[in-house]
Amino acid sequence: MFPAASLLMTLLLALSIAGSAVEVRNSPITLPIARRLNTSGGTINLLQRDKAHVAALKNRSTTSHKLGLAALPQPVNNLIVDTGSSNTWVGATTPYVKTSTSVNTGQPVVVGYGSGFFSGTEYTDTVTLGNGLNITKQSIGVASTSSGFTGVDGILGIGPLDLTQDTLTNDLSGTIPTVTQNLHSQGIISEMVIGVSFEPTTSLTVTNGELTFGGTDATKYTGSIAYTPLTTTEPASTYWGINESITYGSTTILSTTAGIVDTGTTLIYIATDAFTKYQSATGATVDATTGLLLVSSTQYSALKNLNFNIGSKTYSLTPNGQIWPRSLNTYLGGSSSAIYLVVYDIGSPSGEGFDFINGYAFLERFYSVYDTTNSRIGFATTSYTDATTN
């Protein structure tokens, strides 16, 4: 899932006939990802849209969150890369054009995303990622109606398979093979592993990320990758869910509990009781304009590390990593000189099985690996973990 008109991580994709495209097999495939702050409608209420996204994730029993991928034979399509959903669809902005490999399955698709939706029809087609990486007979949703997707064409879903359930309205119990699964089953990659890299940025639009199918890119992280098993606690287990505890400095604000890792969530969300402790410890107040936590320069200077204890490793978010890029404040309607925190209340107390979301603000400081083959997630530090660019 994702904040439909706020921070978008987009990947350039094209849907086309295979033709003379290069065939790549059994080796990792790397594609660039661009971060784009969508301000086409003026300043954005990032928090409002992000919270709607979080609510949809938490209430999957009543709100589906899937993606689809549709595109044209020639034009490139901008898709949101989302670990919180698993379908692929297109057609939100650029119309889908049938190819010689297009097959209309006749299955209707209707998906809600909290702050947007799409409805349409399922097709299978040959999907091309980047320059010539072909996936044949890939299920894609072709949107006939959509809302909340200004400036993007759809979604590339890289979440767990079970998130494809309830996508097809005539087959609510069935699942749909994901892009990652088809890459593996067609022998293009040897493992169902995805590596994701982001770099902190202060620009509205910048190619600051990388998506690697079938492995990891050692040039994007420092040290070694440490893995932790996927959580078995519901509802976090529906997604890329893990167990972790969080300390602010040396003070525990969230005991070991279950939550998720999600590229489509902009901020970092923690259970209400943990958020209350964090706000008190930082001295932050709620900003009336943006809704985000606000700290003074003096309070910022006194901030301590926010530590995410995952497995046997601790990943420390520095004070600079806890704040929104100040050069982008005005796009939120905020003051250019203000200091806003990127940690917010998830809206429910701890112990409910969905007690945190490590969103984009976390992931731009750490390399992450989504390993379906071994049911685990990995993290590593990067050269940007301690960056002071915000």
Side-chain angles (χ1 to χ4, degrees):
M1 296 297 294
F2 61 96
S6 52
L7 184 63
L8 306 179
M9 282 65 74
T10 61
L11 169 65
L12 296 182
L13 296 146
L15 178 67
S16 63
I17 301 171
S20 60
V22 177
E23 183 174 343
V24 183
R25 290 187 175 273
N26 295 316
S27 61
I29 300 138
T30 296
L31 300 169
I33 313 174
R35 189 189 87 160
R36 180 153 54 86
L37 192 66
N38 190 342
T39 60
S40 57
T43 58
I44 59 173
N45 191 326
L46 180 143
L47 182 60
Q48 182 183 40
R49 294 183 180 278
D50 217 32
K51 287 171 67 177
H53 163 60
V54 170
L57 287 171
K58 291 173 64 180
N59 298 302
R60 184 173 181 267
S61 59
T62 57
T63 304
S64 297
H65 9 276
K66 309 298 166 196
L67 358 138
L69 166 67
L72 296 174
Q74 300 303 326
V76 171
N77 286 247
N78 295 312
L79 303 183
I80 297 168
V81 177
D82 188 13
T83 58
S85 57
S86 303
N87 296 68
T88 295
W89 67 269
V90 295
T93 300
T94 304
Y96 174 77
V97 174
K98 295 179 183 178
T99 71
S100 62
T101 55
S102 299
V103 176
N104 184 340
T105 69
Q107 290 275 14
V109 186
V110 179
V111 181
Y113 293 93
S115 54
F117 77 94
F118 107 92
S119 64
T121 304
E122 182 199 32
Y123 278 72
T124 62
D125 208 336
T126 297
V127 172
T128 301
L129 302 180
N131 296 317
L133 173 60
N134 293 326
I135 310 169
T136 61
K137 298 181 179 179
Q138 175 63 47
S139 169
I140 59 174
V142 176
S144 56
T145 305
S146 65
S147 176
F149 292 88
T150 303
V152 296
D153 295 316
I155 298 178
L156 174 70
I158 57 174
L161 173 65
D162 286 350
L163 286 176
T164 64
Q165 284 186 331
D166 303 334
T167 300
L168 303 176
T169 57
N170 291 340
D171 185 16
L172 297 180
S173 62
T175 58
I176 300 171
T178 65
V179 166
T180 308
Q181 285 184 305
N182 280 336
L183 283 169
H184 181 258
S185 65
Q186 293 174 25
I188 300 171
I189 58 176
S190 59
E191 294 183 297
M192 288 189 287
V193 175
I194 301 173
V196 178
S197 167
F198 292 116
E199 299 172 8
T201 179
T202 57
S203 302
L204 279 179
T205 302
V206 62
T207 301
N208 71 321
E210 181 182 275
L211 186 66
T212 301
F213 286 101
T216 59
D217 183 348
T219 68
K220 296 298 181 179
Y221 60 88
T222 57
S224 59
I225 299 170
Y227 290 91
T228 189
L230 297 180
T231 186
T232 58
T233 301
E234 296 182 348
S237 58
T238 305
Y239 303 92
W240 284 111
I242 59 173
N243 295 323
E244 74 178 22
S245 66
I246 302 176
T247 59
Y248 178 72
S250 60
T251 302
T252 298
I253 62 173
L254 184 65
S255 297
T256 302
T257 187
I260 72 170
V261 182
D262 183 32
T263 60
T265 300
T266 305
L267 306 177
I268 297 167
Y269 288 82
I270 56 179
T272 299
D273 45 311
F275 178 76
T276 299
K277 294 175 183 176
Y278 177 76
Q279 181 179 0
S280 175
T282 59
T285 57
V286 176
D287 179 62
T289 302
T290 65
L292 298 173
L293 288 183
L294 174 70
V295 292
S296 66
S297 296
T298 300
Q299 290 168 328
Y300 171 60
S301 298
L303 284 183
K304 301 176 181 178
N305 285 351
L306 188 63
N307 304 303
F308 297 77
N309 307 300
I310 304 171
S312 61
K313 299 292 184 178
T314 296
Y315 303 91
S316 297
L317 200 61
T318 64
N320 189 262
Q322 295 172 54
I323 68 172
W324 177 259
R326 281 167 282 187
S327 63
L328 300 179
N329 280 356
T330 56
Y331 295 103
L332 306 183
S335 168
S336 60
S337 60
I339 303 175
Y340 303 111
L341 300 179
V342 294
V343 179
Y344 205 77
D345 184 1
I346 204 169
S348 55
S350 59
E352 296 194 354
F354 200 105
D355 296 341
F356 61 84
I357 301 177
N358 293 354
Y360 175 83
F362 174 87
L363 295 170
E364 68 176 0
R365 300 287 176 145
F366 302 99
Y367 191 81
S368 57
V369 183
Y370 307 86
D371 186 347
T372 299
T373 300
N374 297 295
S375 299
R376 61 184 186 173
I377 297 180
F379 299 100
T381 56
T382 75
S383 57
Y384 300 97
T385 295
D386 299 327
T388 58
T389 52
N390 287 346

